[in-house]
Amino acid sequence: ETHEKRDFIRQIVREDLAAGKHAAIKTRFPPEPNGYLHIGHAKSICLNFGIAGEFAGVCNLRFDDTNPAKEDPEYVAAIQDDVRWLGFTWNELRHASDYFDAYYLAAEKLIRDGKAYVCDLSAEEVRAYRGTLTEPGRPSPWRDRSVDENLDLFRRMRAGEFPDGARTVRAKIDMASGNINLRDPALYRIKHVEHQNTGNAWPIYPMYDFAHALGDSIEGITHSLCTLEFEDHRPLYDWCVDNVDFAHDDALTAPLVERGLPREAAKPRQIEFSRLNINYTVMSKRKLMALVTEQLVDGWEDPRMPTLQGLRRRGYTPAAMRLFAERVGISKQNSMIDFSVLEGALREDLDSAAARRMAVVDPVKLVLTNLPEGHAETLTFSNHPKDDAFGTREVPFARELWIEREDFAEVPPKGWKRLVPGGEVRLRGAGIIRCDEVIKDADGTITELRGWLDPESRPGMEGANRKVKGTIHWVSAVHAVPAEIRLYDRLFSVPNPDDESEGKTYRDYLNPESRRTVTGYVEPAAATAAPEQSFQFERTGYFVADRRDHTAAAPVFNRSVTLRDTWSA
Ligand code: ATP
Ligand code: MG
Ligand code: MG
């Protein structure tokens, strides 16, 4: 069942295992700790950890920390938190920087083998020499340096003798290659920058492609899954794996083995899949970073952000995220996923996973005049209409209630099923009421409704079964707890906020209605929720007790998603 053919990558894995190519499979999730993870990363996490789990393999978490200027331990910690939250357990936690010594030796080996050289061209010159898609590149004037000179210069680079950008180590591959990535790509650059893991130990840093291919080799990754934009890099990936050849080189692996890292025989294979794109959002780390630094949102975990921290705070559940990843699937075709698919996954999970409660978001008072002053009683409600395992709770009912302002209309539109002057409506689980009087202030705003509770319509009575058009929710005014309710919506009001035509940027497309904060009332059994507990507030939507700000005395609820899709209708 779990081994059924789901996508082309699982098919490859299945075939490799059947052919005995690997005793066990090993994948990795390789984030760069230069920002918080977003929903796109969740797709990659679910794929890498998912496949490892389905095929009895393992998955490493590896921080690809080769670009020290932008990396930070804050991100390293948050990423681990996110992966765990999604429900996955890594085999080993590694950093590319754990292998800096091995990478260094690998580059020396390539130099000794005449496959790499130290180049003194500036970044600008390298670009000019590289050529274009239609025009071959020109060889660097430093391409034919002797091995001894190259080794000497590389060692001096490592010793910190040269300023940033003065030299690079480049692979000697093919300046005429149709694939520009093979036109002597840089393997090492000089950067006198402190590193989040290795401090000031290294003034040179390996380039991503080199480090990534070797990291996979060192860890014995069997299937190295990455997004489509790396398809053109695959020949370089293979070149690095093959020419360094960790699996057959004792001199290279000895220092690693000494540190307790086993020598791995597997030769990793890179396989590309399409990136996740979702409309009504931006996913580039650069833009997410700008939203935070320009204070267009309240930080990385703002509940409107597509970051995993943001989605979590919004009330997205790990199960909903995994369901979403499964629905979106894996393919070679880039596409735009509708935001409603994400919301649909959350609704589906919470419909079965969230207990029901009553809360009034925009309250107006309803006084039941035929109940005695101070009357209060307790009603028993089931917590879930479809699942008895959720049990029941006690809901206080009293003479004075809060109901939703929008559940009353003085002049009802056509088809109205809720309360009108002189009309009847069912109060969820309590009985049938009639509205007798509408009280307004000087401005004409309704301040109170006065009504009559049909004493023959109480729960369990014969009269409770008679037909009335609508059912509305309510809370007891004396018992309900005032709550801060944050009504979130999509952060952007257009499907493609990345559209920069007409000189606009995503900043111009922010949805001004993406957050509204109101004071409502929740029943006592909602107020006592634990932070991060989700509920369906009946007829209103799915809400979560805010992870940071909610307390029983001062409840704070975030709207995770409405009950129905109001965007595409
Ligand atoms: P940026 O270029 O903005 O830094 P990135 O994609 O390089 O983002 P990484 O931290 O390097 O970010 O990504 C870690 C892993 O997550 C990579 O394997 C990458 O392919 C994958 N990933 C990132 N974004 C997406 C996405 N939108 N859909 C699927 N996988 C993604
Ligand atoms: Mg990156
Ligand atoms: Mg990356």
Side-chain angles (χ1 to χ4, degrees):
E1 169 67 43
T2 51
H3 283 230
E4 100 205 70
K5 176 178 173 179
R6 281 234 316 263
D7 53 64
F8 74 99
I9 296 181
R10 286 175 168 86
Q11 188 58 26
I12 291 170
V13 168
R14 192 174 301 109
E15 283 164 14
D16 285 351
L17 285 171
K21 194 166 163 196
H22 310 289
I25 67 146
K26 197 169 182 182
T27 56
R28 86 288 168 267
F29 172 63
E32 186 182 350
N34 63 352
Y36 281 73
L37 297 184
H38 53 60
I39 176 94
H41 293 110
K43 172 177 174 174
S44 177
I45 293 169
C46 290
L47 177 67
N48 280 293
F49 283 92
I51 286 191
E54 287 159 39
F55 292 93
V58 293
C59 181
N60 281 359
L61 174 59
R62 181 169 75 234
F63 290 102
D64 255 325
D65 53 349
T66 54
N67 193 7
K70 291 184 174 172
E71 295 160 3
D72 196 286
E74 177 193 343
Y75 304 133
V76 172
I79 289 169
Q80 293 177 58
D81 196 30
D82 286 340
V83 173
R84 275 195 221 100
W85 175 70
L86 278 175
F88 297 110
T89 307
W90 51 84
N91 175 52
E92 297 192 78
L93 179 78
R94 299 286 179 81
H95 291 75
S97 54
D98 296 338
Y99 312 137
F100 278 173
D101 52 352
Y103 296 162
Y104 179 80
L105 294 175
E108 274 199 348
K109 171 180 178 171
L110 293 174
I111 289 173
R112 275 197 311 277
D113 291 347
K115 293 173 180 171
Y117 60 98
V118 174
C119 177
D120 298 358
L121 293 181
S122 67
E124 210 172 299
E125 290 166 329
V126 167
R127 260 195 301 282
Y129 275 75
R130 190 180 289 137
T132 64
L133 278 175
T134 51
E135 194 187 312
R138 283 176 292 139
S140 160
W142 312 103
R143 201 173 200 257
D144 294 316
R145 272 177 163 152
S146 70
V147 167
D148 285 345
E149 189 184 0
N150 279 323
L151 280 178
D152 175 59
L153 286 171
F154 186 41
R155 284 169 191 163
R156 289 165 62 193
M157 280 170 67
R158 194 261 172 274
E161 280 189 35
F162 310 120
D164 287 5
R167 297 193 155 90
T168 55
V169 173
R170 298 174 67 183
K172 194 189 275 190
I173 308 180
D174 180 4
M175 287 307 293
S177 171
N179 183 338
I180 292 181
N181 294 302
L182 294 181
R183 294 183 188 171
D184 291 11
L187 304 180
Y188 260 99
R189 66 201 153 141
I190 302 172
K191 234 181 180 30
H192 294 265
V193 174
E194 188 169 289
H195 186 282
Q196 63 89 15
N197 192 31
T198 58
N200 290 303
W202 294 86
I204 56 172
Y205 291 99
M207 300 303 289
Y208 178 81
D209 285 315
F210 182 62
H212 193 82
L214 298 193
D216 286 347
S217 302
I218 289 170
E219 292 175 16
I221 302 304
T222 56
H223 301 81
S224 177
L225 313 178
C226 64
T227 40
L228 276 180
E229 69 272 19
F230 289 98
E231 195 161 18
D232 283 355
H233 296 236
R234 195 192 324 137
L236 174 56
Y237 180 94
D238 289 336
W239 186 93
C240 293
V241 169
D242 291 338
N243 287 284
V244 171
D245 196 18
F246 266 106
H248 303 97
D249 191 328
D250 288 334
L252 285 184
T253 43
L256 295 170
V257 170
E258 215 164 278
R259 293 217 313 264
L261 303 181
R263 182 170 169 163
E264 301 281 356
K267 179 177 157 174
R269 169 175 175 189
Q270 175 177 310
I271 306 170
E272 308 85 16
F273 63 94
S274 63
R275 284 182 90 80
L276 174 68
N277 299 300
I278 305 182
N279 61 12
Y280 292 98
T281 191
V282 296
M283 212 101 87
S284 119
K285 270 188 208 160
R286 182 177 56 80
K287 289 179 184 172
L288 296 177
M289 178 76 79
L291 287 171
V292 171
T293 54
E294 294 170 24
Q295 297 179 19
L296 299 170
V297 297
D298 298 331
W300 289 100
E301 66 163 33
D302 184 302
R304 295 165 295 179
M305 288 282 271
T307 52
L308 297 187
Q309 296 281 333
L311 289 160
R312 174 175 181 178
R313 196 159 175 200
R314 175 76 169 262
Y316 274 79
T317 59
M321 302 298 291
R322 294 192 303 263
L323 178 62
F324 172 71
E326 194 182 309
R327 293 237 163 108
V328 164
I330 295 298
S331 80
K332 280 262 185 202
Q333 214 62 51
N334 275 323
S335 67
M336 183 67 79
I337 301 295
D338 202 273
F339 200 90
S340 63
V341 179
L342 180 62
E343 295 179 323
L346 182 61
R347 284 190 195 101
E348 181 165 330
D349 177 47
L350 291 180
D351 180 39
S352 58
R356 273 45 172 176
R357 293 288 185 269
M358 291 197 290
V360 173
V361 169
D362 182 13
V364 67
K365 176 114 6 128
L366 168 66
V367 180
L368 300 173
T369 53
N370 62 326
L371 292 180
E373 206 65 62
H375 172 88
E377 61 187 282
T378 298
L379 302 172
T380 300
F381 274 56
S382 73
N383 285 328
H384 199 290
K386 293 173 264 187
D387 188 349
D388 290 341
F390 279 84
T392 61
R393 71 185 186 283
E394 305 293 281
V395 180
F397 177 73
R399 183 173 186 266
E400 297 198 2
L401 309 173
W402 294 114
I403 65 168
E404 218 63 77
R405 190 169 284 277
E406 65 169 29
D407 281 336
F408 174 78
E410 239 182 332
V411 186
K414 229 181 142 203
W416 181 260
K417 292 202 174 77
R418 293 167 271 170
L419 199 56
V420 295
E424 280 187 330
V425 80
R426 187 184 303 278
L427 291 182
R428 170 93 172 86
I432 294 167
I433 58 132
R434 187 186 65 221
C435 176
D436 294 330
E437 197 181 342
V438 181
I439 297 171
K440 297 181 185 174
D441 66 13
D443 302 333
T445 306
I446 297 170
T447 54
E448 189 176 301
L449 302 172
R450 299 177 79 83
W452 173 81
L453 172 68
D454 176 356
E456 305 299 319
S457 71
R458 306 305 315 277
M461 292 180 174
E462 191 81 11
N465 299 327
R466 73 183 170 84
K467 267 220 154 50
V468 290
K469 267 197 212 143
T471 299
I472 65 173
H473 60 277
W474 51 272
V475 293
S476 158
V478 279
H479 300 94
V481 183
E484 179 176 328
I485 299 183
R486 299 169 181 168
L487 300 169
Y488 290 110
D489 202 342
R490 297 180 187 181
L491 184 55
F492 294 98
S493 46
V494 300
N496 180 17
D498 288 317
D499 178 4
E500 296 196 342
S501 60
E502 294 168 37
K504 294 208 162 140
T505 75
Y506 59 95
R507 296 174 186 82
D508 299 309
Y509 304 121
L510 287 165
N511 174 8
E513 301 281 298
S514 63
R515 180 182 56 193
R516 235 164 16 97
T517 300
V518 299
T519 301
Y521 291 96
V522 300
E523 62 167 286
T528 52
E532 292 209 274
Q533 194 173 351
S534 289
F535 295 115
Q536 184 192 101
F537 287 166
E538 288 192 33
R539 300 180 61 239
T540 304
Y542 292 101
F543 288 75
V544 67
D546 188 75
R547 200 181 160 198
R548 306 289 178 206
D549 301 335
H550 171 87
T551 63
V556 179
F557 284 96
N558 302 330
R559 183 168 68 197
S560 310
V561 67
T562 53
L563 287 184
R564 266 171 285 283
D565 184 0
T566 52
W567 281 74
S568 59

